[in-house]
Amino acid sequence: MGKVYVLDHPLIQHKLTHIRDKNTGTKEFRELVDEVAMLMAFEITRNLPLTETTIETPVMETKAKMLAGKKIGLVPILRAGLGMVDGMLKLIPAAKVGHVGMYRDPETLEPVEYYIKLPKDISERELIVIDPMLATGGSANDAIASLKKRSAKQIRLMCLIGAPEGVKKIQEEHPDVDIYLAALDEKLDEHAYIIPGLGDAGDRLFGTK
Ligand SMILES: O=P(O)(O)OC[C@H]1O[C@H](OP(=O)(O)OP(=O)(O)O)[C@H](O)[C@@H]1O
Ligand SMILES: O=c1cc[nH]c(=O)[nH]1
Ligand SMILES: [Mg+2]
């Protein structure tokens, strides 16, 4: 079964509180999501492999560490996942970015895929699927299945807030996928919104409500 990591760094938690606050406006919301995504990228990359190289400091020649060049792909789920891309790219600038367009039908709550464009070499990359919200898990579940159908082998899922229902779904359907959250919330309400959550992530990021 995939592991669930709640990234409880104090800076992430502090910023998440402002993200949740209904009085936080679009500009600040977007900036905070960007910052938290960057901090989460810092945590999620702590196991990247290193290699040794030789350099000259102004004082002497020395061995020093550098990234071994593991190929990474970021896959935001449109729309709301877009709000986390730039923050992650600040720390992982060499990552390639694929996009999966997905919306949740408000009546059936079923995810509908409307777009997909991925780097050609996804089977060689470690993919990080990103979306602020993991609610029923339907959208992330379908996005991951879509990547696997196109021969993705290594996938992780990174969200700001997860509900237990969504976590369970991913663990059942994709036991090879580890999940990284800034918070694991209580439950879903009758409209499948996360409680206490932050409301509609896409609408708050892009000012569409
Ligand atoms: O886990 P689920 O129950 O599938 O819900 C989560 C999904 O819902 C939201 O997207 P939405 O459908 O609002 O699309 P948007 O990003 O375009 O706003 C959110 O960004 C996730 O993709
Ligand atoms: O709480 C939720 C659930 C789904 N999508 C959101 O944007 N927020
Ligand atoms: Mg939305």
Side-chain angles (χ1 to χ4, degrees):
M1 189 195 287
K3 294 194 181 71
V4 182
Y5 299 94
V6 178
L7 305 177
D8 58 359
H9 191 290
L11 289 176
I12 295 178
Q13 295 305 314
H14 177 84
K15 288 174 192 294
L16 183 63
T17 298
H18 288 295
I19 288 173
R20 288 183 188 275
D21 190 332
K22 71 173 186 183
N23 294 315
T24 299
T26 299
K27 175 177 181 287
E28 203 189 342
F29 185 92
R30 200 183 292 139
E31 287 166 359
L32 286 162
V33 169
D34 180 75
E35 287 169 14
V36 169
M38 185 179 75
L39 294 169
M40 291 181 81
F42 182 74
E43 295 271 25
I44 206 174
T45 50
R46 64 169 60 247
N47 294 327
L48 281 184
L50 291 169
T51 183
E52 221 173 51
T53 185
T54 305
I55 56 161
E56 273 186 53
T57 75
V59 182
M60 62 174 285
E61 190 177 282
T62 186
K63 290 205 161 101
K65 289 171 184 154
M66 60 189 302
L67 289 170
K70 188 174 177 73
K71 288 180 167 182
I72 293 182
L74 305 181
V75 185
I77 301 178
L78 308 182
R79 269 177 318 168
L82 286 177
M84 298 173 76
V85 174
D86 285 352
M88 294 190 74
L89 285 175
K90 280 180 198 146
L91 292 194
I92 327 171
K96 295 210 169 155
V97 183
H99 296 86
V100 181
M102 197 78 86
Y103 71 86
R104 198 171 74 159
D105 185 295
E107 305 282 303
T108 64
L109 299 178
E110 288 299 317
V112 181
E113 186 180 306
Y114 59 88
Y115 183 78
I116 186 153
K117 180 79 182 174
L118 303 168
K120 287 216 162 50
D121 56 356
I122 56 163
S123 63
E124 295 160 32
R125 292 186 177 267
E126 172 165 351
L127 301 180
I128 306 173
V129 174
I130 50 184
D131 192 327
M133 310 307 278
L134 178 66
T136 65
S139 304
N141 178 51
D142 278 18
I144 292 167
S146 222
L147 296 175
K148 287 184 174 174
K149 204 170 76 189
R150 291 166 175 82
S151 74
K153 302 214 164 45
Q154 270 183 287
I155 303 175
R156 295 195 278 171
L157 173 64
M158 190 180 118
C159 305
L160 287 186
I161 301 180
E165 294 86 337
V167 167
K168 184 164 174 274
K169 176 147 188 112
I170 300 299
Q171 286 183 323
E172 282 172 4
E173 304 286 331
H174 301 288
D176 55 318
V177 173
D178 288 343
I179 304 171
Y180 298 77
L181 304 171
L184 178 59
D185 274 10
E186 202 185 314
K187 59 177 183 178
L188 300 176
D189 71 7
E190 64 276 21
H191 307 291
Y193 271 77
I194 299 177
I195 289 180
L198 54 73
D200 190 300
D203 284 341
R204 293 194 67 192
L205 272 168
F206 299 111
T208 42
K209 213 163 203 172

